[in-house]
Amino acid sequence: MTVAHAPVGGPDVETPRTARGNLGKRIRDHRWHFAFITPMVVLYCAFTAWPMIASWAYAVFDWTGFGPLTDFVGLANFTEAFADPQFWRAARNTAIFALFAVFVQLPLALLIAMVLNDKFLRGRNAYRAMFFLPVVTTTAVVGVVFAVLLDPSGGPLNEVVLNLGGTPINFLGSDRLALPTVLVIDMWKGIGVTIIYWLAALQTVPEELIEAARIDGANRFQILTRVIVPLLAPLAAVILLLTFVTSMNAFDLVQVMTEGGPNGATDIVQTYIYRYAFNPDGLPRFGYASAVGIVFGVAVMLVTVLPPAVRRLSRLARRRRTQRAEATR
């Protein structure tokens, strides 16, 4: 008796020709989807992906931004950055921005969001719009307006101080006051976004649990710490990460208000990079600026990636210890 054998691949296995045909059919079926995303992909590759890749090549050259890459210096740009005290001062100020956002802006935004989330608050939508209005205001405009308001010679705020019998305060020209002033203005500018994050997170808290806690006699602080915060913990990690990353984008405000001064008191890594990439006093140093940008990018990536990775590894280690303990019983 002759037995008929099925093809080796079987009826459900696609041959290369069939796979290419299916791929072509999917492309034709979704051609309008590809047409709509193509401009964004092109712009992303041209203005984000390619500069990021090219900066790694520029970082090992002493390049001014003009002409070919000929002056190879290896890791000299990185060594110079690590040896520059001004770079470390800029890195410290950048870390202060991040810590201020995490430990001041984040909890303050949560308290404001809880007030704005109260269903008995009249006009809460108007208050939400007031807090979010600075977010949609151009940062350059905010910087110019506050520079005028805080001007020690004729600024409205100092005029009030003079009328009260005091002396003008140079908020942006003082080594001691410049950084706290810019920090507060940056928080005022961006806290609306964090409030929106918290408001969205508060919508996930069941109102029944809060009412039950009130009936049991819990006060506002106990409701916050024992009911709301534990329920918000998973979303709080995401909000913390978003707030931290946003705090790294203070370049435009600092550049408009102080340009990193006075004497580097408000200098952050972005203004430090900008100063070397577009040096107005001489030839720009794109190679050195690229090296500093790489160091800054890697540092931010490590700070954002390492904590979740450590938590995941610790959970995995605890799970394995538990499994070993159960296996030995």
Side-chain angles (χ1 to χ4, degrees):
M1 182 176 61
T2 305
V3 180
H5 294 280
V8 177
D12 297 330
V13 178
E14 291 185 347
T15 63
R17 181 175 299 177
T18 306
R20 286 195 297 269
N22 290 340
L23 178 59
K25 184 178 183 301
R26 286 196 294 268
I27 292 176
R28 287 193 301 271
D29 292 342
H30 299 281
R31 59 185 179 276
W32 287 111
H33 300 160
F34 290 113
F36 279 115
I37 68 173
T38 296
M40 183 59 197
V41 172
V42 171
L43 292 175
Y44 176 81
C45 292
F47 296 103
T48 301
W50 168 247
M52 290 174 60
I53 296 171
S55 64
W56 287 84
Y58 301 153
V60 294
F61 287 88
D62 186 11
W63 189 49
T64 63
F66 304 97
L69 299 174
T70 56
D71 193 0
F72 180 79
V73 294
L75 299 178
N77 287 328
F78 296 92
T79 305
E80 181 181 350
F82 287 125
D84 186 7
Q86 189 60 42
F87 166 74
W88 290 109
R89 186 175 188 181
R92 185 201 65 182
N93 291 340
T94 305
I96 291 175
F97 268 89
L99 294 175
F100 188 82
V102 170
F103 292 104
V104 178
Q105 177 177 322
L106 200 66
L108 180 60
L110 174 59
L111 295 177
I112 296 174
M114 290 182 61
V115 174
L116 297 179
N117 195 54
D118 190 347
K119 61 182 179 181
F120 299 107
L121 178 65
R122 292 183 178 180
R124 58 178 181 173
N125 290 333
Y127 292 126
R128 291 177 181 182
M130 289 173 57
F131 278 105
F132 195 74
L133 186 60
V135 177
V136 297
T137 305
T138 306
T139 307
V141 173
V142 171
V144 171
V145 169
F146 272 100
V148 173
L149 290 175
L150 302 176
D151 189 353
S153 57
L157 185 59
N158 276 299
E159 286 294 329
V160 174
V161 174
L162 286 173
N163 293 333
L164 294 176
T167 58
I169 303 173
N170 194 359
F171 289 97
L172 300 177
S174 169
D175 292 355
R176 183 171 54 88
L177 296 177
L179 184 60
T181 302
V182 176
L183 283 171
V184 172
I185 295 173
D186 182 62
M187 182 183 70
W188 173 85
K189 173 74 170 66
I191 196 172
V193 175
T194 313
I195 292 174
I196 295 298
Y197 292 154
W198 283 125
L199 283 172
L202 287 170
Q203 305 306 313
T204 65
V205 179
E207 188 66 27
E208 296 80 7
L209 293 179
I210 298 178
E211 292 297 334
R214 289 198 183 107
I215 294 174
D216 290 340
N219 55 36
R220 289 181 176 270
F221 182 76
Q222 290 172 331
I223 292 175
L224 173 64
T225 56
R226 300 184 183 182
V227 178
I228 296 178
V229 171
L231 291 175
L232 293 182
L235 294 175
V238 178
I239 297 174
L240 172 63
L241 178 61
L242 292 173
T243 304
F244 171 79
V245 173
T246 305
S247 68
M248 298 286 133
N249 299 325
F251 164 76
D252 41 5
L253 185 66
V254 175
Q255 184 66 22
V256 169
M257 297 189 68
T258 64
E259 296 184 357
N263 302 319
T266 60
D267 202 18
I268 56 178
V269 175
Q270 293 96 323
T271 56
Y272 180 88
I273 295 172
Y274 179 84
R275 191 161 54 250
Y276 279 95
F278 305 97
N279 185 7
D281 301 324
L283 288 176
R285 299 185 60 193
F286 266 82
Y288 181 72
S290 298
V292 177
I294 290 172
V295 172
F296 178 63
V298 171
V300 173
M301 183 184 67
L302 290 177
V303 171
T304 55
V305 171
L306 279 181
V310 170
R311 287 196 299 269
R312 187 172 300 177
L313 290 175
S314 63
R315 286 197 299 267
L316 181 61
R318 287 197 300 269
R319 189 181 306 164
R320 288 181 176 177
R321 285 197 298 268
T322 303
Q323 292 174 350
R324 293 197 202 98
E326 292 176 352
T328 54
R329 289 177 183 174

